Amino acid sequence: MTLMDQARNNEVSKLIEEVAKYEQLSTDFIIKGIAEGSIVIPKNVNRIQKMPRAIGAGLKTKINANLGTSPDHINIKEELEKMNIAVKYGADAIMDLSTGGNLTEMRKEILAQCPVQVGTVPIYQVACETVRGGKKKISQMDSELMFDVIEEQAEQGVDFMTIHCGVNMETVSMLDRQPRLMGVVSRGGSFLAKWIRANKKENPYYEQYDRLLKIAKKYDVTLSLGDGFRPGGTPDATDGPQIAELSILGELALRARKEGVQVMIEGPGHIPLDQVQANVLLAKRMTHNSPLYFLGPLVTDIAPGYDHITSAIGGAMAASYGVDFICYVTPAEHLRLPDINDVKEGVIASKISAHAADIVKNVKGAREQDYMMSKYRKERNWEKQREYCIDPIKFDEERAKIAPNLKDTCSMCGEFCSMRDEE
Amino acid sequence: MTLMDQARNNEVSKLIEEVAKYEQLSTDFIIKGIAEGSIVIPKNVNRIQKMPRAIGAGLKTKINANLGTSPDHINIKEELEKMNIAVKYGADAIMDLSTGGNLTEMRKEILAQCPVQVGTVPIYQVACETVRGGKKKISQMDSELMFDVIEEQAEQGVDFMTIHCGVNMETVSMLDRQPRLMGVVSRGGSFLAKWIRANKKENPYYEQYDRLLKIAKKYDVTLSLGDGFRPGGTPDATDGPQIAELSILGELALRARKEGVQVMIEGPGHIPLDQVQANVLLAKRMTHNSPLYFLGPLVTDIAPGYDHITSAIGGAMAASYGVDFICYVTPAEHLRLPDINDVKEGVIASKISAHAADIVKNVKGAREQDYMMSKYRKERNWEKQREYCIDPIKFDEERAKIAPNLKDTCSMCGEFCSMRDEE
């Protein structure tokens, strides 16, 4: 029985209790959400998670950190360090997006060591195995391999998988009729679009969706239906292909729910600020209140080197409008593979977005943290402030850089601190 | 004749032409805005500005960088370096908030070297002169000195001045009737609140507002009516004292306009994300469409060390709803005086906010930049991308850190880059 089946039977497991406790909510609330499909707990039957987390309506906004090797940079130890730092600073999920070196080994290490849920994009492995040695092209990916890889990864214990089921013959052909500036920028989406175009055949994950559901059900893998047509630049946001794909994902979500398979829906991408709310509303509505997993969104395209900030803006807004799960963006986005420091910066920026949204979502405990921080700021109680802040280590380091003469102030205003009651 | 008087006479000066050219708008549009009070060009008659900038409705969102010595850290050379780096990365205005060392000398240097408009908060100088030597307290500030300092700074050439005219006996007494967590967090506002409480007298800047207008008119100083009651923590946002002060500032704006004195209105502060739009709407309406100058807003209180990000979120939203001028917030906010690198990070974060809003405001040239950036990203033309990005130096540095094997990709995806058309 999957978690969804159990929820429909009203079973209160230890997992549900743990998750409910973390959210400061009732087990009833969690179970009802899972049964309806508005909440998921990505957890493979073969996986042990020290810190299980639910994602969805009414819960704390969660964040994901991507890591993994690339063909240009392969260092398993470094990726594990990224994992540790991401979790330390508050990542609720890790995605292993490796495309360089021994993918199975890398994934095995992450699954063994990671305390939180782990996701993957299986088509990356299919692509890597296809092109290695230079004999075959992406368009020659074997459709059986597409399912074998999913079975392999599911058996290994992967908790959630991004599958680009909405990149199909219809949506790909829409790109010709409704051209966009950037085309398909999703890596996995682009593999499948190339495959469809070259082979003039339907996307196997779409065509054989029931087969996919069967594997997902067997291992209780949560499907993260990928947005292959997410806008890769603000000029492409909210266009026909993007919304057409969303509609397909909405249908597929219903089919998954019927089989007791948990589903979340991935979202854009690059979106101008004034289109963020409409995108969230559309995605929630068209996917029947599925949990939404947004990548950013980035509200401008012109800030490579600072895309953790462009994404923090869009992410905070999106989450406040109802997005449940934010994929971090690091300062390295659009420029290179992130390093360890980028991972930290990316996680913290997303954490800020998630928290700013949680204040507005009335998530339990969120406002209290700001209240306590503000109270201790007013009292100039620096010891207590550090307890409530997002990065106590940075708090100490930065404050010490230009230390104040009066210990109860900071060097910005010194004796003129507005918080001092002295005349 | 002030700029406002000239505008009402429909005079097209070289300054107006320059500003209109920068905005890619007609001189008529600028003149009409200035005449009505929805646009200001802060420029003292005694000042030469290499890069004059207008602020207000229909224009590019502008950003300000604060700098200046504190009692704990006094280094004029370093502050001038901050000024240069701020302007290099796109600051449209500089405020000299010095409170340590020789304030007049510091200001003289800034006014001589700064290519953009310069603002101050004159009450800081009044406070410094009052408490120096330890003989007097803030509450013993001399009301004549309050005006002498303004005249001195105006004569020196300061283009705009923050004056906390709305901190008066009525609004201060409201704090007792409608208590808030953080009290008065504005530094200048707190000086005047202390003065009012201790002396049981009215704020001289409010009581003798006509005298203030007379000096402003003489030197054509733009008044930036300060928000002494801005919320210093999200729990205090949008409360009675804040809105009462805003109403007073609205009245004072009308009186200034009548005298041909340009006015802008300062705004909060710390505001939860879902209150940002209401704050902008209230401020625009209650101040009769005056240009709005917001400090942030910061959408959460818990991220000291990262408040350039919390502020970028609020700033982008606020500007998209109509704020015209954003005061930057650096990563050092709430912890210490910013250093040179903080200034750069703060300016860039604000610039991102301003640009993300300008896309939505339909500001001329804004969308084009994102379009070109996206186009060259799709083409994997890295040379051209750097021309359209916000920080070309960082663009090169970051890309080189983990260089790609294929020159036309980056090390994130390498050969699997979704932008490559190769199969």
Side-chain angles (χ1 to χ4, degrees), chain A residues 67-85:
Chain A
L67 50 81
T69 59
S70 93
D72 293 346
H73 191 80
I74 300 161
N75 184 332
I76 292 191
K77 211 179 132 225
E78 197 178 322
E79 298 310 315
L80 291 170
E81 271 183 67
K82 287 183 192 172
M83 177 192 82
N84 286 328
I85 202 130

Side-chain angles (χ1 to χ4, degrees), chain A residues 59-319:
Chain A
L59 311 181
K60 292 186 217 284
T61 305
K62 306 301 186 301
I63 64 173
N64 171 72
N66 290 336
L67 50 81
T69 59
S70 93
D72 293 346
H73 191 80
I74 300 161
N75 184 332
I76 292 191
K77 211 179 132 225
E78 197 178 322
E79 298 310 315
L80 291 170
E81 271 183 67
K82 287 183 192 172
M83 177 192 82
N84 286 328
I85 202 130
V87 172
K88 178 179 167 186
Y89 283 97
D92 302 291
I94 296 290
M95 286 193 82
D96 173 14
L97 303 187
S98 292
T99 53
N102 186 332
L103 306 189
T104 302
E105 192 56 36
M106 174 82 228
R107 197 179 314 116
K108 198 178 138 196
E109 287 298 327
I110 299 251
L111 287 167
Q113 297 186 32
C114 188
V116 297
Q117 54 190 262
V118 172
T120 60
V121 186
I123 197 75
Y124 291 179
Q125 183 179 346
V126 179
C128 288
E129 291 187 12
T130 302
V131 304
R132 266 196 205 151
K135 283 185 204 147
K136 286 209 244 169
K137 296 192 251 179
I138 294 281
S139 59
Q140 294 171 301
M141 291 185 298
D142 181 73
S143 62
E144 286 306 304
L145 183 63
M146 292 187 196
F147 290 94
D148 291 347
V149 161
I150 286 182
E151 179 98 30
E152 177 202 330
Q153 295 197 3
E155 205 275 328
Q156 259 192 312
V158 170
D159 300 303
F160 67 95
M161 295 183 190
T162 296
I163 321 263
H164 300 90
C165 302
V167 177
N168 64 12
M169 293 184 84
E170 168 57 17
T171 48
V172 167
S173 78
M174 276 185 83
L175 280 188
D176 301 324
R177 306 192 303 271
Q178 300 191 36
R180 38 155 66 175
L181 183 59
M182 306 280 289
V184 177
V185 302
S186 149
R187 199 164 18 166
S190 76
F191 296 160
L192 287 159
K194 280 168 191 169
W195 192 93
I196 291 169
R197 282 189 193 279
N199 298 294
K200 296 187 176 36
K201 275 192 197 162
E202 191 48 281
N203 174 353
Y205 292 134
Y206 177 72
E207 198 170 48
Q208 302 175 53
Y209 185 64
D210 289 329
R211 185 174 172 191
L212 185 60
L213 289 179
K214 211 170 155 189
I215 306 172
K217 193 172 175 68
K218 181 172 166 196
Y219 299 95
D220 209 352
V221 171
T222 298
L223 294 184
S224 187
L225 297 177
D227 56 336
F229 291 92
R230 69 167 174 268
T234 54
D236 288 345
T238 331
D239 70 351
Q242 182 196 325
I243 307 304
E245 179 185 44
L246 192 58
S247 180
I248 293 168
L249 301 187
E251 285 179 29
L252 299 179
L254 290 181
R255 285 171 62 188
R257 286 184 192 172
K258 202 172 271 178
E259 297 301 317
V261 171
Q262 299 187 107
V263 169
M264 51 188 173
I265 307 289
E266 299 187 10
H270 294 235
I271 311 181
L273 203 145
D274 61 344
Q275 295 176 31
V276 174
Q277 187 164 18
N279 269 271
V280 177
L281 188 139
L282 271 173
K284 274 281 177 192
R285 177 66 188 88
M286 294 175 76
T287 70
H288 321 284
N289 296 317
S290 291
L292 297 184
Y293 176 23
F294 267 35
L295 175 62
L298 286 67
V299 293
T300 172
D301 311 314
I302 66 158
Y306 303 90
D307 276 330
H308 61 311
I309 298 179
T310 63
S311 147
I313 297 169
M317 293 180 71

Side-chain angles (χ1 to χ4, degrees), chain B residues 201-210 255:
Chain B
K201 276 192 198 163
E202 190 49 281
N203 174 353
Y205 293 134
Y206 176 71
E207 199 170 47
Q208 302 174 53
Y209 185 64
D210 287 330
R255 283 171 64 187

Side-chain angles (χ1 to χ4, degrees), chain B residues 32-66:
Chain B
K32 188 164 176 282
I34 294 173
E36 292 174 353
S38 65
I39 291 176
V40 295
I41 305 180
K43 194 193 157 301
N44 186 304
V45 289
N46 288 343
R47 182 92 208 296
I48 294 159
Q49 293 174 358
K50 280 194 201 139
M51 298 157 66
R53 295 281 181 265
I55 297 164
L59 310 181
K60 292 186 218 284
T61 305
K62 306 301 186 299
I63 64 171
N64 170 73
N66 291 335

Side-chain angles (χ1 to χ4, degrees), chain B residues 32 39 51-52 55 58 72 82 84 86 148 156 184 195 197 227 287 308 328 349 355 411 420:
Chain B
K32 188 164 176 282
I39 291 176
M51 298 157 66
I55 297 164
D72 293 345
K82 287 183 192 171
N84 287 328
D148 291 348
Q156 260 192 312
V184 178
W195 192 94
R197 283 189 194 277
D227 55 336
T287 70
H308 60 311
Y328 85 165
H355 181 81
S411 59
R420 297 176 84 213

